[in-house]
Amino acid sequence: MKLILTQEVDGLGSAGDVVEVKNGYGRNYLVPRGVAVLWTKGGQKQVDSIKAARSSRSVRDHDHAAELAAKLEAAQVDVRVRAGAEGRLFGAVTVSDIAEALAEAAGESVDKRTIVVTNPIKSLGAHTVAVKLHDDVSASVALNVIPA
């Protein structure tokens, strides 16, 4: 079965890719979840629009990704949150909060879908998150969670 991916699927491809999968996987998993649509000749226009949107959002190339990774790792990133008296947060630090703080610190916007938080951040202090900028370039960013 030939499908057009509308979102990134681990191990299969990213948005805009045309992939060949087994019928059951496409019919029962990918299409009902809205992750893929059936490929048609007219679907090529949709592929082009998805790729254009992805390229405008993503990092331009490997060199730019490496440059941005160095900038992010060197930056002092402070995330301001509401916290109680013992240093516990009201909720958790979200990837949107982290993306905003990274944009302030580095001067360039980072897509929130590229930020990987392994454990929820629910306390003040120093934390580390990973930012996957390119297929083979990722940055380890030190966050300082401080009260607002």
Side-chain angles (χ1 to χ4, degrees):
M1 172 179 270
K2 209 169 188 180
L3 298 173
I4 301 169
L5 296 178
T6 57
Q7 297 175 12
E8 183 174 345
V9 178
D10 288 337
L12 192 57
S14 56
D17 291 346
V18 177
V19 295
E20 186 76 33
V21 296
K22 294 198 177 201
N23 290 338
Y25 182 53
R27 184 176 54 247
N28 297 326
Y29 184 77
L30 296 174
V31 174
R33 284 178 170 68
V35 177
V37 294
L38 291 172
W39 183 88
T40 60
K41 289 182 181 179
Q44 190 61 39
K45 290 180 185 176
Q46 185 177 5
V47 169
D48 294 339
S49 68
I50 290 171
K51 285 187 178 184
R54 180 177 64 184
S55 67
S56 68
R57 253 193 335 259
S58 68
V59 179
R60 290 186 288 277
D61 58 3
H62 187 274
D63 295 334
H64 183 252
E67 177 184 317
L68 183 58
K71 191 186 293 186
L72 288 176
E73 288 176 347
Q76 173 66 29
V77 182
D78 292 331
V79 180
R80 297 188 179 277
V81 293
R82 291 183 47 217
E86 292 96 33
R88 289 182 50 93
L89 305 184
F90 298 125
V93 177
T94 64
V95 291
S96 297
D97 297 335
I98 296 169
E100 289 174 12
L102 288 174
E104 278 183 27
E108 268 190 76
S109 64
V110 176
D111 189 10
K112 68 182 182 180
R113 290 173 285 200
T114 62
I115 299 171
V116 179
V117 179
T118 54
N119 294 325
I121 300 173
K122 295 186 177 186
S123 63
L124 297 175
H127 299 278
T128 304
V129 296
V131 180
K132 186 175 180 183
L133 299 168
H134 200 266
D135 291 337
D136 51 339
V137 176
S138 63
S140 179
V141 179
L143 296 177
N144 189 19
V145 181
I146 55 177

